[in-house]
Amino acid sequence: EDAAGSRIKTPLKQLPYAVTTLNAEFFEDFNIFDLTDEMNFIPSLQGSDLSGGQTLRGFTGNNTQLRNGFAALGTRTINGLSKITVIKGPAAMIYGQTSPGGTVFIDTARPKTHPYEKVQETVGSYGVNQTAATVSGPVPIGANPTLFYRIDVEDYHRSFLDQVNTNLTREWLLTLLYKPNENTDVLFDGGYQITNQNPAQALPYLENNGKAIGWAWQLKNHYFSTPADYRIRQRNTAEVIFEHRFNDWLSFRAGANVYKYPNYTLTSGYTGVYDRSEE
């Protein structure tokens, strides 16, 4: 069952339109770092660039993207992720404004009611290093705690063959859940993310009798180029959601959020190119 597909918990197979849901366990099983090209696991959806642009059902640009029900573009990581749901096509208009491709829903994880800790370290070639940690549980106030917390942090870095090119992502999330009784929830969710990216530059082609047969790897230490541009993306988020269930068929939900997404692109405009005539 999923609530994002129809705004109430309904088995996906009963919905008359296409809905795809992937949970956090799926992304962890495949050891996915961020939600860019790896979102190709969802049919008809092709990743997300630094500006939040996606290609959904062949429609490019900033397709509608919701985070806990609030509009929010930008890159995403699996840090603090609960699940991703995609409604394809005009059926997503049940949430109001949408795009022809559809709408992408991202739900963050809620605090746990019991103590929970997790630390994960991933290393690999080209300087890949990712550190992720999660701490969650009840705030020890009184015999029956009603306040719960969750903290998620991540530091992800990788390099390329060209030493001037690197990717860096850092993020922290804080979630507080106040639950005075079984039918009432007050959720606060806040976080900060920064992503720096230098696009990788290509080496010259290696030619033989006028045909390109590969890359000139022997020139990797001589072929120099500063990054064509240096992109800095930040995301500041704060949300408050109040929910109360009156009975089995009637509930009330209200929320407010603050979302800032400052973007910077620094262009160098300088490139050194290898010239065979100088041999």
Side-chain angles (χ1 to χ4, degrees):
E1 292 186 348
D2 184 76
S6 61
R7 306 184 73 172
I8 59 175
K9 285 190 176 182
T10 306
L12 295 180
K13 64 181 180 180
Q14 294 184 6
L15 298 178
Y17 43 83
V19 179
T20 302
T21 298
L22 295 178
N23 56 24
E25 288 77 9
F26 175 89
F27 295 104
E28 290 180 358
D29 289 343
F30 283 87
N31 197 27
I32 289 175
F33 294 106
D34 50 38
L35 300 177
T36 52
D37 293 339
E38 289 81 356
M39 291 184 73
N40 291 332
F41 285 108
I42 300 177
S44 304
L45 178 63
Q46 296 180 4
S48 174
D49 58 27
L50 282 176
S51 299
Q54 300 170 336
T55 301
L56 181 58
R57 297 179 64 244
F59 295 94
T60 60
N62 293 333
N63 287 287
T64 304
Q65 185 178 122
L66 301 180
R67 179 182 186 274
N68 295 331
F70 297 101
L73 294 175
T75 56
R76 301 294 174 187
T77 69
I78 65 170
N79 187 43
L81 176 69
S82 175
K83 63 181 177 180
I84 295 178
T85 302
V86 178
I87 301 180
K88 303 169 187 176
M93 67 181 298
I94 63 173
Y95 284 91
Q97 181 181 358
T98 185
S99 61
T103 299
V104 179
F105 301 86
I106 297 178
D107 292 325
T108 58
R110 295 168 69 91
K112 296 183 178 295
T113 57
H114 58 276
Y116 174 84
E117 300 87 20
K118 178 181 178 181
V119 178
Q120 179 175 321
E121 179 73 19
T122 304
V123 296
S125 56
Y126 298 109
V128 172
N129 188 304
Q130 182 192 45
T131 303
T134 300
V135 179
S136 184
V139 177
I141 301 178
N144 296 314
T146 57
L147 182 63
F148 308 90
Y149 74 97
R150 180 185 177 103
I151 300 175
D152 297 275
V153 296
E154 179 190 23
D155 185 283
Y156 169 50
H157 176 273
R158 68 159 297 178
S159 303
F160 299 89
L161 285 175
D162 192 337
Q163 297 181 2
V164 301
N165 296 310
T166 59
N167 284 359
L168 171 67
T169 299
R170 290 174 177 168
E171 183 178 25
W172 65 265
L173 298 171
L174 170 64
T175 307
L176 297 175
L177 174 64
Y178 175 62
K179 195 174 182 63
N181 55 63
E182 286 294 327
N183 297 320
T184 305
D185 292 349
V186 179
L187 182 71
F188 168 81
D189 183 294
Y192 171 79
Q193 180 194 48
I194 183 170
T195 300
N196 298 346
Q197 184 185 64
N198 296 352
Q201 303 295 314
L203 289 169
Y205 284 110
L206 183 62
E207 298 182 6
N208 185 15
N209 295 327
K211 293 184 178 181
I213 60 174
W215 298 107
W217 296 104
Q218 71 275 16
L219 300 177
K220 66 183 180 65
N221 294 326
H222 302 282
Y223 180 77
F224 63 94
S225 61
T226 57
D229 54 32
Y230 185 68
R231 304 171 186 175
I232 305 175
R233 300 292 184 261
Q234 300 180 49
R235 181 165 52 85
N236 305 278
T237 305
E239 304 167 350
V240 177
I241 301 173
F242 171 80
E243 294 181 276
H244 179 74
R245 177 176 294 276
F246 296 97
N247 49 48
D248 292 339
W249 56 272
L250 179 62
S251 63
F252 174 80
R253 184 178 190 269
N257 80 321
V258 176
Y259 179 79
K260 294 184 178 181
Y261 188 52
N263 301 329
Y264 307 92
T265 299
L266 308 178
T267 303
S268 63
Y270 176 78
T271 302
V273 180
Y274 172 71
D275 188 353
R276 290 186 303 170
S277 63
E278 297 179 358
E279 292 183 342

